[in-house]
Structures are given as structure tokens and as C-alpha cells.
Amino acid sequence: MVLYEVAVDAPLATTLTYSQPVERVDPLPTGCCVRVPLGKRLVVGYILGVVHHQNLDEQPFTVKPIAEVLLESPLFPPALIPLYQWIARYYLYPIGKVLRTAIPLTPGSRSSQRVRAKMRSVISPGPLLLSQLSTAVDHGGDAVVDHLQRNYSITLKPAEKKTLQLFLSIFCEHEQHPIDRLLITRQYPGASPRLRRLCELGILEETDEQVIRDPFSRVMETPLRPVQLTREQKAVLETVLPTLATGNFSPFLLHGVTGCGKTEVYLQTVQHALDLGKTALILVPEIALAAQLESHFYARFGAQLAILHSGLSDGQRFDQWQAVRSGKVSVVLGARSAVFAPLENIGVIIVDEEHEPAYKQEDGLRYNARDLAVLRAKMTGCPVILGSATPSVVSYFHSMQDKYTLLTMTTRVKEQALPLVEIVDLTTTKRSRPDLAFSDELIRAVAETLHQGKQSLLFVNRRGFSPFMLCRDCGFILQCQHCHVSLTLHRKNNRLLCHYCGAGQPVHTICPVCHSPRITGMGIGSERVEEEVKQLFPEARVARLDSDTAVKRNYYLKVLQKIQAREIDILIGTQMIAKGLHFPHITLVGVIWADSGLGMPDYKSAERTFALLAQVTGRAGRGEDRGRVIVQTYQPHHYSIVLAQNQDYQAFFTSETAVRRPLGYPPFSRLVNIRFSGLREKQVEEAARQSASFLRQQHQHGQVEILGPSPSPLPKLKNHIRWQLLLKSPSSPLLHALCEALSSEKKRICPSSVTMSIDVDPENMM
DNA sequence: AGCACGCCGACT
DNA sequence: GTCGGCGTGCTC
């Protein structure tokens, strides 16, 4: 009898053994997708291989047959199995879940080949509740319960009442929009059967709603034709190209200033791989950038190109995946998850903007696609190019240690000078309008730019009007009830919003603590900057891009077109305008508060600040005229700001490593952050303490530092109390052994009401 | 993750 | 009694 090793979609550390489906003789190929019985239910699984068992009878379990073959043809090449297994071990994540993440198709459903919209389940008031909605909002759920009893003789059980009450409160918080089902079940895990009954009774209604996909898909861009290469481009290609033919792992770090022509290097390298009959994989940090590179790659490789990112519909993704799998296409361009593309015979892997935090997946399997790209290149035996204008400190350190070959490009293609960067010290500079977010220098610069008929870009890192509400009498800062973070004032709809859980409430006019009416919005968000700009330059044509305005993809595209057409003079925006976009008539970039990230309790904050400043600086002067950048800051002498002025990466690297070395932070160590979260403070704290003492007991030779446990920097999020435990060690194996021990003892240490999640190589410590 | 089972306190 | 709210254990 043939037995199969199956990775099932359940949080199990090991694979399980299943037998041949009944009434089937042909063996099933490795990589095919099946449905298997697990306990009392059926789950999706992937066949990882055939098991050769001599004495099956001595096994402590009874082998069940595979219930159904969901997809006959293998979804991934067998060569990827060692990668999956490595990931499961390294990130301490169940193997079946690793495959589910790596293969972003939904073969579980009947029609995975049809194009389908991305859906989520939402709850809204049903017919019975709808007529009573105003009563419910004004007088609470009890009034509704009474009404249902009187008019329909419906009696709700206590748990159902509780569910209804919970629904009503969330519903009101979300301004009476339909509520994501998960918002309810996350706060009240037992809600599912109650919701079902409330829906049956017609009190609530459950519908599938289409999730609006990423708004950035098709940024217009004129594809570049192969051009005369610069000397630097030639030199880089001459180093890289020979490694494509050998089939050896060769990692490169390509450090090139913005505008140095990295894209052309990528294109020619990929072309070379194709000429050798091999394939190529290109990763970009986010879809907005994928769209930009997409046009270049499409112009060059046309039908040979596949695109893989989360903005695709299931159907599109399925088609792209199969095209790659079958060898119909040889070039894959995509975001994070494209690192799992089922390519074979890879000639080169390219990771653009390798320093970007977006390569780290922050939920579920917390992998870093940049690191996996390097690993995949190693397993495959091919070159990998990590490209960036501001390499991550860790990657640059590797190049200093000769683990990576460093390639440097220092001149811009069109010989453009880098923009002139001026730093404005907000602590000492006198301001004629101290009530505004603008220094006189910035006001003057915007006015001048406006006068010249050029465009300005103003960068703010927070959306909304004011990031917090302060009582001027007692100093109280309004916080979200579910999250312990300050509420942001949004002027547009005049509400206070939590940026972590999305809950909203009306603006308070009196302080809830001391009842003072002197409660005001403090701090600067993008809405406020927009308002001030309109006040300062009433004649200017102004637009704002942040995640509040860009939810509508059409709006985003319209703004981009208007900038292109020079119908906008001043663009205000958050992170999303820092990357990629290049418009020749933007000559001025203003950074409203450059050091805002430096206060974060995170060892990477200086690195991020430097990269961000370098990035926004790159937005200025992409045309004929030399750009100008004005950086407002309260920390004008901080090295990340001073050194960003001349884009002096090497000096930054030296300063940053000098800070990290004595503290033993990466690259001088590896980190693992262990997070505990749950609804009850006591339990979470206890689980964290138990885990810490278990680890300290396991490990006594002092090679691993165990820091904590302590409440997370964001100690409460979406009603969940959060604690964390940080492990730090120069020895990856030791660190790993400890995590494995903890992981296998997880159930004994950590009650099921507390979630423990292990974040290996954390990108974000919050 | 689900799902069953079993325990315990708080009500009809 | 028995309902609802946990905690625990298992899945080839």
C-alpha cells in the first residue's frame, strides 16, 4: 500500500501519514493538493512525499485514506520542499501553515479557476432590528430585546443577548457600517453559534462583502528602452553576469544612489538569464512599486513575464501561478510572497529596495522575503542581487564581512546633482507663525517654488488632523478604550479615530477626568498640514495623499495624473508618497517633522529615519532643475539626520554600528521577540513570566540574553493585553534551540487563552 | 485551528 | 438539575 506524507492545514509541527484514496490506483504526485480527514473534519493538505513504512501496525495511530484529490497537477516543484521545511524550523511555524502561506491559492473551494472577488463576512442589522435601530442606538440593546419579546415573542438566551449587545456597541463605534464578523468573534470567542441564531431569527444579517483591493495597480510610466550604459552599470554587469552560468550561489549587495539606473542593470541581468535558458525572480517591497517596474519589465519581456502580488484576484493569481509552474513564463515579478513562486531552473534572484520593512510579513508566518530570497538562491545555486540606495545595516555589514559582494553605483544616470538639503532646527529657529507646522524657511521656499511655477511635496508621517487630544488643564490624553494608544482627531468627519483598531467616537468637548472644556487636538497630521497650506497659500492648487484619501483608487490615480499635468502645485502626503513616484517638476520637498520616528523604543529607528530622508530627498529634482529639500527637525544634530543631508551612507553605517555594537543589537546578534497576548492581564503576564523562567532554566551558559518579560510598547491592542520577551544572542543555533524548547513546551507553559507568537528576526518591536 | 470533553459556579 | 464559561487535549 502507498502511504503519503501530507502537510495539513492545521497548527501541527509535523506532517501526517495518509493512505491512497479509495477507488484510485494511480499514485499521487508530490506537490499535489488533497483534502484529508483530520479528527472530525476535512482539511486541505499537500503531499510532500511517499512514506516507506515497514511495520505500519506498530504505529500508535490508524492511517486514514485521503478523502479527495483537489488538484491533480503538482502546485510546486519538489525542489521547494527543503525550503518549506527550513522555514518551518527557522520561524517555528507549523509546516502545513507554511505551505498555505507559500501557495496563495484556495483549492479548497470548488471553483478556484474562476475569477472571484476577495470577500469577507460582514454582519449588519437584519429586518427585525432595522425597524428598531434608532431605539437601539439611543436606548441600548435592552430596549430591542424587550421589543422582540413583545412583538415577535422571541426570547433571547443570555449569550445571544450578550452577542447582540456587543454587535450594537461595535456597530455604533463604526458609524453604523456593517461590521467585519471577525471584530465580534475576536472579542467574544463564543459568538459564532449565537450570531448564527441571531441571523436565523432575522435580527442580524450576514453577508459577504467585497474587500476593496489595493488601489495602486497601474501607475503610468514610460518604459525605458535599452540605452547606452554608464561605466558603472557596465562594471556591475561585468561582475554579475559571469556568475549566472556557473550554478553557484553568489550574493551581491548593489548599493546605488537614487536615479543611478539600477533598473536597467536588473533588466539586462534578467535578459542574460533568459539567454542562458534560465528563469528569473524579481521582488519588490510593495505593489505600488511592482506597478512601476511592471511596465519596464513588460516592455522588455512581454509574454515571458508573470506578476504575483496580493492585488490579483484569485483567478488571476491562479492563472499566473500555473503559467509559472508549467514553464510558460520565465520571469516572475512580485511582492513578498512571490519569493515562493514555483519557478525552476532559476538563473538570478533580484530583491529591489532590500532594506524595506515591507519584506517582513507581520502576521502569521513572520518571514522576511529578502532573507528567504537569499536562502532560495543558496539552495538553488544562483546569484542573488540585493539592491538599495540605503542598504539595511545588516546587509551592508555582511558585505563588509565579505559574505556579500558589494557593488556600488554613485553617479546618477543623467548626471543630475543631488538635491540641496537644508536642515531647519525647530528648537531654536524663530518663527513668525509658531502656531503652524511651518518654519519661515519652509514657507519662503514653498512660496518661491509656487512663484516659479514648480511643484512642492510636503511629507508628514501621520494622517488625520492631530495625533492626540490633550486636556490643557490636567494633561490627560484621550486614549482608545480597546488599545491604550492616543486617539487621532480627524477634522473631515469630526471624529476621534483609533489608528490601530479603527474604532471611532465623537469629539470630546470636555475632559473626562477633570471636566475642563479646554481639550484640544495637539500635534501635526496630514489633514492639518493641508489646512495650513490652504491658509498660507490660498491661491495654490493643493492635494493630499494618505491612506484616508487614497482608499479610492480613482482618486489616487487622478491626483497622480494631475501632478503629471501640472494641475497641482503642492502635494501633501504620508509614507505612500515617499517611494517610487518620480515627477520632473517637483523641485521642492519639505519634511515637516523628520525626527518623529527617533523616539520609538526600537533599535532600528535611526536606520529608518535615515532611509526615509534619503528616500524623500530622492523625490526632489528628478527633472532638469536641481532639487531642494527642507528638513524640519527638533534633533538637528542627530547623526541619522545630519548624515542624510549629504546622503553619506558609509558614515551613517559607521555611526550606527558604533551604537549597536556595545548594545549587542543586530548585526552583532540575532533577535527573537516572543509576544504574549490575551484578554486577561493576569494570564498574559503569568504566561510571559513562566516562559521567561522556563527559558532561564533551560539556558545557563549566558550566551543568550533573555530580556524581560515586560509589557509591549503597545501594551493593549484591540482589547488584547500584550507582553513580550526578547531573546538576543550572537549564536543563532543556541537561540534557535531555546526557541524550539519553548515552542515544544508551549502548551504546558502557556494556557490556550493566551496566544504566544514567536517573531524571529523581528522588524518591528512594537 | 476546530472540535469534543469535562469541570465548575450560577441560575431556573 | 442544566446552561454557559472556561481550560485541556487531540488530530495520521
Side-chain angles (χ1 to χ4, degrees), chain A residues 409-443:
Chain A
M409 294 168 75
T410 53
T411 50
R412 292 177 126 183
V413 168
K414 291 175 197 147
E415 305 269 320
Q416 295 160 309
L418 278 170
L420 192 68
V421 181
E422 298 156 53
I423 294 176
V424 175
D425 180 355
L426 291 175
T427 59
T428 58
T429 311
K430 281 211 193 70
R431 289 200 252 168
S432 46
R433 293 296 303 271
D435 53 320
L436 302 184
F438 290 78
S439 61
D440 293 358
E441 284 86 341
L442 186 53
I443 295 175

Side-chain angles (χ1 to χ4, degrees), chain A residues 164-199:
Chain A
L164 181 59
Q165 299 273 21
L166 180 62
F167 165 78
L168 284 170
S169 75
I170 301 178
F171 186 63
C172 291
E173 259 171 31
H174 285 76
E175 313 186 294
Q176 308 199 7
H177 290 304
I179 299 305
D180 195 322
R181 196 177 201 280
L182 286 172
L183 279 182
I184 300 168
T185 49
R186 219 179 275 145
Q187 276 194 41
Y188 175 27
S192 266
R194 279 94 214 193
L195 281 174
R196 208 174 305 135
R197 185 164 134 83
L198 289 168
C199 289

Side-chain angles (χ1 to χ4, degrees), chain A residues 325-339:
Chain A
R325 181 75 196 95
S326 66
K328 269 194 220 111
V329 300
S330 328
V331 184
V332 172
L333 171 68
R336 195 167 54 217
S337 65
V339 74

Side-chain angles (χ1 to χ4, degrees), chain A residues 55 65 93 96 144 214 340 365 411 415 443 465 505 524 572 625:
Chain A
N55 39 4
Y93 207 68
V144 179
D214 197 286
F340 298 112
L365 173 58
T411 50
E415 305 269 320
I443 295 175
F465 192 85
Q505 49 179 284
I524 295 151
I572 295 135
D625 306 290

Side-chain angles (χ1 to χ4, degrees), chain A residues 6-20:
Chain A
V6 180
V8 297
D9 186 17
L12 301 172
T14 59
T15 53
L16 300 180
T17 311
Y18 288 90
S19 58
Q20 182 78 2

Side-chain angles (χ1 to χ4, degrees), chain A residues 104-106 111-117 213 312-322:
Chain A
L105 306 173
T106 48
S111 53
S112 52
Q113 311 207 22
R114 249 189 299 128
V115 176
R116 272 178 302 125
R213 294 208 188 90
L312 303 180
S313 69
D314 286 359
Q316 288 171 320
R317 189 179 303 117
F318 186 87
D319 292 347
Q320 297 283 303
W321 188 272
Q322 292 297 19

